[in-house]
Amino acid sequence: MKIALDHPLFTRIASDLADHGWSHHTIFLPPALTQALATDCQRRAADGLLTPAATGRGIGAQVREGIRGDAIDWVEPGQSAPVDSWLTLMDCLRQSLNQSLYLGLEDFEGHFACYPQGGYYTRHLDRFNDDDRRVVSTVLYLNDAWLPEDGGQLRLYLPDQRVHDVVPTGGAFVAFMSGQVPHEVMPAMRERRSLTGWLRRRGELPL
Ligand code: OGA
Ligand code: MN
């Protein structure tokens, strides 16, 4: 799904990120694409492709703050038409943010995530101790008719003790600065699905 880099949606995300570090949209995609991604996620879960997520990677694994209960499956180009549409859209967002905010974003990595009933992810930042390439976090939600009593909000911790809660209803999208906005997934009372990803800059070469 190719979108003009100066599309109002992208300029709005850029100005939100620049002004306060996060941007929340309750309807981001054509419903048919959200539905196709939700079906893809469901199929992967049914096929047993989702594996419990770790915190941190390599030697730094477990060091990263945050305890999480989700299972994930990374998305790659060519896996399905809806995934390719999403990756193209995220690449347009990447280029648009580079043009407007000079973020030097190089690529996108993302995974489907499924929290079981009772699943949560404690407060954390999306940065590894040994890898600070993640600059902008993105989450697209894939759940039918989410109710307040279903819990599972994404809670963003903002300056001055304020919070912003994102209800994970299908089609909602949030982007935030990975290294600047602590956040938490509140316990979900029913299965909670999303497509989570990160726009990354080039890493330092190892010494
Ligand atoms: C994460 C995360 C938020 C969400 O995977 O790092 O914070 O709402 N996910 O699923
Ligand atoms: Mn996170």
Side-chain angles (χ1 to χ4, degrees), residues 64 121 124 126 176 183:
R64 180 183 175 208
Y121 193 162
H124 65 280
D126 285 349
F176 55 89
H183 55 281

Side-chain angles (χ1 to χ4, degrees), residues 17 21 48 54 63 71 73 91 98 117 120 122-123 158 161 172 192:
L17 290 177
V63 178
D73 189 30
D91 200 60
N98 280 346
Q117 188 179 24
Y120 58 88
T122 58
R123 178 174 167 150
L158 310 176
Q161 316 286 327
R192 175 193 191 273

Side-chain angles (χ1 to χ4, degrees), residues 7 9-10 17 19 38 51 73 85 103 107 110 113 115 131 141 154 162 164 167 173 175 179 192 194:
H7 189 285
L9 206 49
F10 291 158
L17 290 177
D19 291 348
T51 51
D73 189 30
S85 294
L103 292 179
D107 66 8
Y115 289 75
D131 179 349
Y141 295 98
L154 170 65
R162 286 173 306 128
H164 177 78
V167 175
F173 175 80
R192 175 193 191 273
S194 64

Side-chain angles (χ1 to χ4, degrees), residues 64 68 115 121-127 134 137 139 154 176 178 181-185 196 198:
R64 180 183 175 208
R68 62 194 290 189
Y115 289 75
Y121 193 162
T122 58
R123 178 174 167 150
H124 65 280
L125 282 173
D126 285 349
R127 282 274 168 98
R134 291 176 170 180
S137 304
V139 193
L154 170 65
F176 55 89
S178 308
V181 182
H183 55 281
E184 171 173 14
V185 177
T196 299
W198 297 272

